Amino acid sequence: MTSGPGDAVVEDQEEPPAPAEGTLAHQILYGSATDVKLRAQEWASLCSRDLAQALLVVLDLTLALSGLPGAVTPEDLEAEPALLVIRLPDWVRSQHLDPTIYPICPSPHSSAQSRKSISNLENFLRHGISEQNGAALLDSHLVTSLSRWLLVLHAAAIRSVRHVSTIAALSVAEALGHQYHALSRSHETLSRQLQTVTGNVTARQEAQLKRDVGACFSHAREMSRARNQLLETIVPLRSRDISEVIRVYTLSQVDRLMKVDPEMYLQNKWTARVFLMVHDPHVEVRLKALSVIMQWFLPDKKKSAAVREHLGQFAKNCLPHLVERVGDVEPRVAQMALRCLRQKDLAENLKSEEFELVVNLVIGSRDMAVREEAALFVNTHVFQDPGICSKERSKKRGRDGGGGGDQRDKDHGRDEEDDWQADPQQELYNSEVAISMLIEYIDEYMKDRLRICERLVGAFWPRSPALSHWSTMVNLCMVGEGAQRVGQTPITSRQRLCLLYVMEAAVRRADDEVRTARPSEKDNAATRMNEACMHIIPEIPRLMDLCRPEEEQFLLLTHVCKMLVEYAVQSAQSQVLVNSKVLCQGLRKAIEDLSPMETMKNSADSLLALARCFEEAKNTFLDLSKEVHRACSNILEDEKVKDRFQELRPVMSRFLVLANRGIDTSFGSMPMVRRMLKLLHERVELMKEKRKQGEDIKDEPPSTPRREEAGPARKRRRQQALPAPAPQAPDVRLTLQLLEAVILSVMWHVRTTYWVQSQGNSEEGRRNAENQVSEMLQGFSELAALRAELPRMMSEVRHCCAELVESDLSPYVQFHAYSAYMTLIQLCVGVSETLSLEVDEKGRPVRAGWGRTYEVTIPKAHLEALYKYLNHLYIRVTEADITEGVSFNAEGHRILPYSIYPAPSQNIMTSVRYLTLRTMQTPGTDPEVSGLVLRPEPADELLFAVLASRCILESELQDVYTGPLGLLLLTQCEKARPKPLREVAMGLLRRLREHSKMSEDYGEHFYAMQQEAIEGLFRCSGHEAALSLSLSFTKLWGFKASEWLERPLYVVLREAILSCVTPDRSRLELLDAYVPWIKSGFVKDIRCKEIAEELVRQLKAVGGDENMPPVERMLRKLQHLQV
């Protein structure tokens, strides 16, 4: 936009220009309350002398604060107000003003100043009108003139004018209300005087008194009419204003006026107006409306009985709408709605279903603040007094010591927490009552949702001291148990389960606070956790004996034990007296029993933590590992191992738990690993046979139509047609266990060997390392044999994983094998500077290559298996139509809990691990046949595809991320693919782009991979999909070309365009996919000319025509850049 010499263009201003110092507008914006009051008195005096000038002062002030100084003139007072409002937009444009920026406009950096200015404007008008006599005010026609202008200005098209006019109008209405009450009081006084003096004064005096009463009544009625006219005209319109700032202010003023004049509560037009605004589209308006409604129902002795009765009736009508607000999309609004419903008059009128809806928000809401507010509702209206939350301390406490402070405490009373600190017996009683009420609530309202009990504990945690009274929880767990508790009624198993859920969640919260608390809160958090260790750990053995028969109880208890023991070992402040022998025996028994793997894991972690401090725990862990090793070897060495699969599964569970926690449970035994591989190969053969049978059935020609048969006869026929039972092989559960055990064992072997090899050339250092390794192997194997067999073993394991990926029918086994293969590849790359884990055709370790590193390769057969599996995942994602209706979060996987699973943990359970454990622990003798193994949901399919793709993106082996797997991943950049999958593919493209900065060869490779991906998609899906993929690629290139990529792009683009011209002309449509590659600045004009000439020559050589649509579009693009 251009401007002339006389134009003044206002750029984007952060603040409007300040009024001239000394003016009334300047005083309103920056003056003190005293200065404003003095100016109001001056204005009141002016009203009695010059009404027109006084009116002009108010109007000029209103428009100046609206950002329109000088908009009103004395001549405008003689015309209609509407004429000024009509010409204001044109006047603003002629003055080049920006009406969106005005002095009292609220903004984040000047909100305090804006509030002060608004308050000064309100006080100016209120004081100015209140300083005058009510009768004189009406007689001077100031009220009429002022109302006449304000009733028009508030409807102006300019927001700033509407805003300031609304402030002025409602302030005048409030001042007129004060005048009305003053006149009403005068009328009542004169009426009483008239009744008192009747017959005692002369007739003339009595007539004068009657005239005064009538005049006062008339003035009060006129004042009330003027006030109501302002309110009834402005409030309905401005409460629906397009600006949320004006709506909020209008609502605030209505609340203020109702407090000043309680009779307004009895008029539905005002209460309903406030109530309707709880549905306002803006958050701040809804918040303010709910806050106002909450104030109505607070205990207030000043409200009359009629007002309280009217509000009670109003509450019954508005409750459903208030309950609806607790589900608001904005957590602050939901929190305020709950705070409102917490008021006694509202809560008592809730229907049963509404009450349960509010109560269930303690666990149902995703927002922590909403859950905490719902917890206060439950504490007030569900629990018996005084509830389980401590009362807030009084802010006015005695500062003087000695008797003065004690006397003040006696006067004001002590809160519940003070009583607990003063009386230990009362503390014990109160905490028992509080926890018992909480258990009853959980049992009544949570039913089968105990798994999310942590939400309930988190909601009550900041305000309920009972949740950290650990000794009370332990005592309640053991009520009625043991010789010392004879005669006491024991709690039920269900109640103990609820209590353990609460204890586990509370300990987890306390442990988390120790790590995340602010420095000022660290000491309190540590003290709370130390007390938990002191009261719970000594009782763990007895609690284990008590909870062992119940799976859920025992799992929760072992997790509590794990958290406390690990903290006690790591914390220097924690001093706990513990019988290590008894505790180690209990933990060992927990691992040896037929327990879930989560229980074993928690127990193993506790045992490992204790091993840092107690030799007894270290010996126990080592003895247990050797016992598990022997048991596993005995079963695997048995010739009838297939008949002992049910016995092998729990042993393998212990094997995996211990191997994952901190010890090589195979102890370097290669024969054990090979026996596991043998069972996995049997699984492979079984799956190949089943796949072959499935293909034979699919390829069988259709038979002649058969006649309908009865149900039993048809069932017998199907049974007779079934193939003979296949040889026994591990089911999906045991297969996952064996595969993980093999991978863990090999990784332990690599780690051990690498550690010895990395000791350098020092003979003494290597000898010490070998001695330590020999001690770790415990005589089950020798380091030399382990080192010699390791490359061959790695090759066998990778081959087995590839076969499982290719042949297995279980998606869980396939993904586990794929992930294991990619992990082993990463491991081989990581140790390639020291160890060779590759073998040649004769099974010998390969020699070191360039730079003294060992080459890592992927056999062609393995690569084909991985490629087919990854392609199958992408096809499954397409078939399931996952692009719509499936929520997916790369940071976490939302699942529906069942019973206690997924087991509570300290944020270490991953999505894939949960799915794997769920499959491993599926009940039944043959879950695959019975259908107990759940098929992956669409979200699970997408999860597998995303994680499999990330294995490629994060791989350090060039054959993976730049080979066929990388090419296949790049095809997922296409716009129609699911967003999570597309983001991984785009991440690989960015990685290749970063590599292209190293050299021109890498640059050519960057574009060549995109070309191959486009051509591959063209062959499979046609030119439209290829064009879409090409557009996705070019978006990542950006708008500015990189100099080092100009020549590589030319080389690849030239080859790609010329390759589209073939004798059969079948690839000409592919030219459209390369049109987006020709961008200004990316390819030089002279190179575009060369490409165009070569394209024409080659096209003529095959008998083509330049006018063919794809060729014409390509040539037009190339020639356009030349121009």
Side-chain angles (χ1 to χ4, degrees), residues 368-432:
M368 187 64 192
V370 176
R371 294 202 296 269
E372 290 182 0
E373 196 63 44
L376 292 176
F377 180 91
V378 171
N379 185 72
T380 305
H381 300 290
V382 177
F383 296 153
Q384 299 177 358
D385 288 335
I388 71 172
C389 296
S390 59
K391 298 179 181 178
E392 296 182 1
R393 292 178 180 271
S394 175
K395 296 181 180 180
K396 298 180 179 180
R397 307 290 291 183
R399 294 181 180 272
D400 53 338
D406 294 341
Q407 184 62 39
R408 187 174 288 101
D409 285 339
K410 293 177 182 178
D411 293 339
H412 293 284
R414 296 177 180 271
D415 59 19
E416 187 177 358
E417 187 174 353
D418 292 335
D419 291 339
W420 287 359
Q421 293 173 355
D423 187 355
Q425 296 296 328
Q426 185 69 21
E427 173 188 358
L428 177 62
Y429 173 75
N430 287 339
S431 63
E432 286 183 352

Side-chain angles (χ1 to χ4, degrees), residues 28-30 103-104 110-118:
I28 295 296
L29 291 175
Y30 308 109
I104 64 171
S110 62
S111 58
Q113 177 62 36
S114 175
R115 288 195 299 270
K116 178 185 176 183
S117 302
I118 292 174

Side-chain angles (χ1 to χ4, degrees), residues 963-984:
L965 295 176
L967 279 175
L968 183 58
L969 177 56
L970 285 180
T971 61
Q972 304 305 301
C973 292
E974 200 263 327
K975 184 174 62 175
R977 305 303 293 162
K979 182 179 178 181
L981 196 57
R982 193 167 66 248
E983 288 176 349
V984 179

Side-chain angles (χ1 to χ4, degrees), residues 724-755:
Q728 277 190 321
D731 61 11
V732 61
R733 301 169 298 181
L734 186 55
T735 301
L736 290 172
Q737 291 178 326
L738 291 170
L739 180 58
E740 186 171 339
V742 168
I743 301 302
L744 287 173
S745 299
V746 171
M747 292 178 71
W748 272 109
H749 299 167
V750 172
R751 178 182 179 182
T752 303
T753 307
Y754 178 79
W755 181 66

Side-chain angles (χ1 to χ4, degrees), residues 680-692:
L680 291 175
H681 282 299
E682 292 178 358
R683 166 82 178 191
V684 170
E685 295 301 324
L686 176 62
M687 292 296 105
K688 287 181 177 179
E689 184 177 348
K690 285 188 175 182
R691 282 185 180 272
K692 184 178 180 180

Side-chain angles (χ1 to χ4, degrees), residues 258 263-276 296 310-311 313-315 317:
M258 293 177 76
E263 295 301 319
M264 292 179 66
Y265 287 112
L266 301 177
Q267 302 177 36
N268 282 330
K269 61 183 177 183
W270 304 119
T271 52
R273 175 61 55 191
V274 175
F275 166 70
L276 289 174
W296 294 351
H310 179 79
L311 290 178
Q313 289 297 120
F314 178 78
N317 298 327

Side-chain angles (χ1 to χ4, degrees), residues 11 63 115 190 232 355 382 495 502 605 613 621 726 730 823 893 899 1047:
E11 301 292 336
L63 292 176
R115 288 195 299 270
L190 292 174
E232 292 175 2
F355 189 86
V382 177
Q495 291 173 329
V502 172
D605 286 339
C613 302
F621 190 83
T823 302
H893 196 49
S899 183
R1047 185 182 177 280

